[in-house]
Amino acid sequence: MSESRAGFGSKLGLILATAGSAVGLGNVWRFPYMTGEDGGAVFILIYVCCILFLGIPCMVSEFIIGRHGASNTARAYTKVAGKGSAWRWVGFLGVATGFLITGYYAVVAGWCLQYMYASAANQLQGDHAAIANYFSDFSASAFMPVFWTAIILLFTHYVIIHGVRGGIEKASKMFMPTLFVLLLVIVVASCMLPGASKGIAFLFNPDFSKVNSNVFLDALGQSFYSLSIAMGCICTYASYFSRQTNLLKSAVQISIIDSLVAILAGLMIFPAAFSVGVSPDSGPSLIFITLPHVFQQAFSGAPAVGYVLSIMFYALLSLAALTSLISLHEVSTAFFFEELHISRKKAAAIVTAGTLTVGIFCSLSLGSMSGLSIGGHTLFSMFDFVTGQIFLPVGGFLTCIFLGWFVPRKLVKDEFTNWGTLRSTLFGAYLFSVRYICPLCILAIFLHQLGLF
């Protein structure tokens, strides 16, 4: 087996690595604040349904293309579609999307490292306004955000150059269990606070009066982003799967892990927030502005506990960001490695240098280079908008249309059933979902994000 196709060494490694790709800030940051804004338990209930009917079929589709192509995402789509087919450009879109996300995502990951350091140095003190000013001053700084962006990208680079088994799989086996341990410790501490029961009820007692079209569309969108659909990650990792890997079973297992982390993140945050009377709908500022103040208030009687938990929380965020960064980096590394016929180290160096450049400009656009904007958006918000609200939905939609209507049914069924060695009971339901349900849902998400639906 060539270096590029050096697959995962174990089933556990495969599941943890692919779950690590999906588990990221979308679970620990985006999911809790969206749950808070969209009514708590009822949002979670709809979200789980969306995972079943949208997330898993889309993930299996990328698995099929990735394993069949046995190469980087761009080449995998080309192999399945044929060299002269326009469908091959969907694969190139996935690579481009992954590359751009890596750049600005590393900036946010760097913020997590800064907050872990700031927690250890006891710098996150004062009232809500003081912490808000801390974040504003830090994010607008010309040096520190860039410094932390470089640090986390260099760490990611170190993992990637050691290959699939020696780097990605080995790191996943260390990082994912550590992430779960940190998560569980903070969940237990949060749920033991006075008044925490209100936060637990918010998460698990659905209020159906809060259901509206926005809740459905937000849940659809979150399920899509949470599983890293259309970023090239799932397809690239699937290229390292063996012919014996049960694609549907793997997708279900990964989705369960991903959803469990998201729900535990809610249990980690909302009981503590409710215990000190903080509104659950604090929005995107929840992690970097609201929560440091929550940790101070919730554990004011035991400041040492609050101090340790704050460090653990931002270490957890950093790990979640890192596992996703590794998979995003691998998308582009595999592309340059195979298309330019260079060593993995050289390919990784190109990606690290390129994404660091993107990250630097995105970071500076929030401060000293704020005048550098496009259509009234900073580079950071522009990259976030273009990739998250245009590239991802378009890529996911086209993948479903491609696999559901243009790829030969026999090829899809052979991959789904491992060439007839697995039962095909659910194949009809899967194909129906990919042909009809998923494209319509993704189209609804896309139009909703653009304000057209």
Side-chain angles (χ1 to χ4, degrees):
M1 183 176 286
S2 67
E3 183 186 355
S4 62
R5 294 300 102 215
F8 294 111
S10 65
K11 182 179 179 180
L12 177 63
L14 180 155
I15 295 297
L16 290 179
T18 313
S21 169
V23 172
L25 293 178
N27 303 75
V28 189
W29 172 47
R30 194 173 190 267
F31 180 86
Y33 85 69
M34 292 197 72
T35 301
E37 291 181 337
D38 285 328
V42 71
F43 173 82
I44 294 177
L45 188 62
I46 296 170
Y47 167 78
V48 171
C49 292
C50 292
I51 289 288
L52 288 173
F53 296 108
L54 174 66
I56 291 176
C58 285
M59 181 177 285
V60 171
S61 299
E62 290 203 45
F63 279 168
I64 288 173
I65 294 170
R67 185 170 70 173
H68 187 83
S71 53
N72 69 78
T73 297
R75 187 180 293 188
Y77 275 81
T78 302
K79 284 184 177 180
V80 175
K83 288 185 177 180
S85 172
W87 287 106
R88 71 187 189 279
W89 294 108
V90 180
F92 284 94
L93 176 63
V95 174
T97 302
F99 181 87
L100 293 176
I101 291 176
T102 306
Y104 80 81
Y105 191 89
V107 176
V108 183
W111 294 348
C112 298
L113 289 179
Q114 167 67 24
Y115 268 64
M116 183 171 65
Y117 165 78
S119 296
N122 241 342
Q123 295 177 353
L124 301 178
Q125 301 296 322
D127 58 18
H128 187 272
I131 295 174
N133 287 334
Y134 178 91
F135 177 74
S136 178
D137 293 342
F138 162 71
S139 61
S141 167
F143 175 71
M144 288 307 297
V146 171
F147 170 76
W148 289 117
T149 299
I151 291 296
I152 202 157
L153 277 174
L154 287 173
F155 196 95
T156 304
H157 177 88
Y158 177 81
V159 172
I160 291 296
I161 63 174
H162 285 82
V164 177
R165 293 190 186 185
I168 297 171
E169 182 173 353
K170 188 175 181 181
S172 299
K173 286 181 176 179
M174 291 188 294
F175 295 160
M176 290 302 290
T178 304
L179 187 151
F180 265 101
V181 170
L182 289 172
L183 188 55
L184 289 172
V185 169
I186 302 172
V187 165
V188 171
S190 180
C191 290
M192 290 177 65
L193 289 168
S197 58
K198 294 180 181 178
I200 297 172
F202 177 75
L203 285 172
F204 296 111
N205 289 339
D207 180 358
F208 291 100
S209 67
K210 296 182 179 180
V211 176
N212 56 47
S213 60
N214 282 337
V215 174
F216 274 97
L217 291 168
D218 286 347
L220 277 170
Q222 177 60 23
S223 67
F224 191 70
Y225 302 125
S226 180
L227 293 175
S228 299
I229 304 297
M231 297 181 188
C233 305
I234 301 298
C235 187
T236 300
Y237 274 19
S239 72
Y240 304 125
F241 288 2
S242 73
R243 288 170 63 92
Q244 287 72 45
T245 301
N246 186 322
L247 301 185
L248 178 60
K249 185 178 180 181
S250 297
V252 170
Q253 291 171 334
I254 292 161
S255 297
I256 289 172
I257 293 173
D258 184 77
S259 300
L260 180 61
V261 170
I263 293 170
L264 285 174
L267 274 175
M268 172 177 64
I269 292 170
F270 289 114
F274 272 89
S275 74
V276 296
V278 171
S279 173
D281 57 349
S282 299
S285 66
L286 180 68
I287 295 298
F288 295 109
I289 297 176
T290 306
L291 277 184
H293 189 51
V294 168
F295 279 120
Q296 284 185 65
Q297 290 183 292
F299 298 97
S300 58
V305 175
Y307 172 78
V308 172
L309 288 177
S310 180
I311 297 173
M312 291 177 66
F313 175 74
Y314 288 107
L316 164 67
L317 274 183
S318 300
L319 275 178
L322 182 59
T323 57
S324 290
L325 266 181
I326 289 170
S327 64
L328 286 164
H329 197 296
E330 177 64 14
V331 173
S332 301
T333 298
F335 174 77
F336 287 116
F337 175 30
E338 294 175 1
E339 300 307 313
L340 299 182
H341 305 290
I342 57 179
S343 68
R344 170 174 277 271
K345 287 186 177 181
K346 288 182 180 179
I350 292 172
V351 177
T352 300
T355 54
L356 179 58
T357 302
V358 171
I360 289 172
F361 280 103
C362 284
S363 180
L364 294 178
S365 74
L366 299 174
S368 60
M369 294 178 63
S370 58
L372 185 61
S373 61
I374 302 173
H377 294 276
T378 65
L379 284 180
F380 182 93
S381 61
M382 176 56 67
F383 276 42
D384 183 32
F385 174 80
V386 170
T387 57
Q389 298 193 33
I390 298 178
F391 287 0
L392 291 184
V394 169
F397 177 81
L398 293 176
T399 293
C400 291
I401 297 298
F402 172 55
L403 197 80
W405 295 98
F406 291 90
V407 176
R409 178 187 172 97
K410 184 179 185 305
L411 185 156
V412 178
K413 188 172 183 178
D414 284 346
E415 288 286 348
F416 188 90
T417 63
N418 285 3
W419 297 271
T421 61
L422 301 174
R423 295 176 62 185
S424 59
T425 309
L426 295 175
F427 177 72
Y430 158 73
L431 196 60
F432 178 84
S433 181
V434 170
R435 282 182 170 179
Y436 301 103
I437 298 176
C438 293
L440 290 174
C441 289
I442 295 170
L443 184 61
I445 296 169
F446 183 58
L447 296 176
H448 174 59
Q449 289 176 332
L450 294 180
L452 301 175
F453 179 64

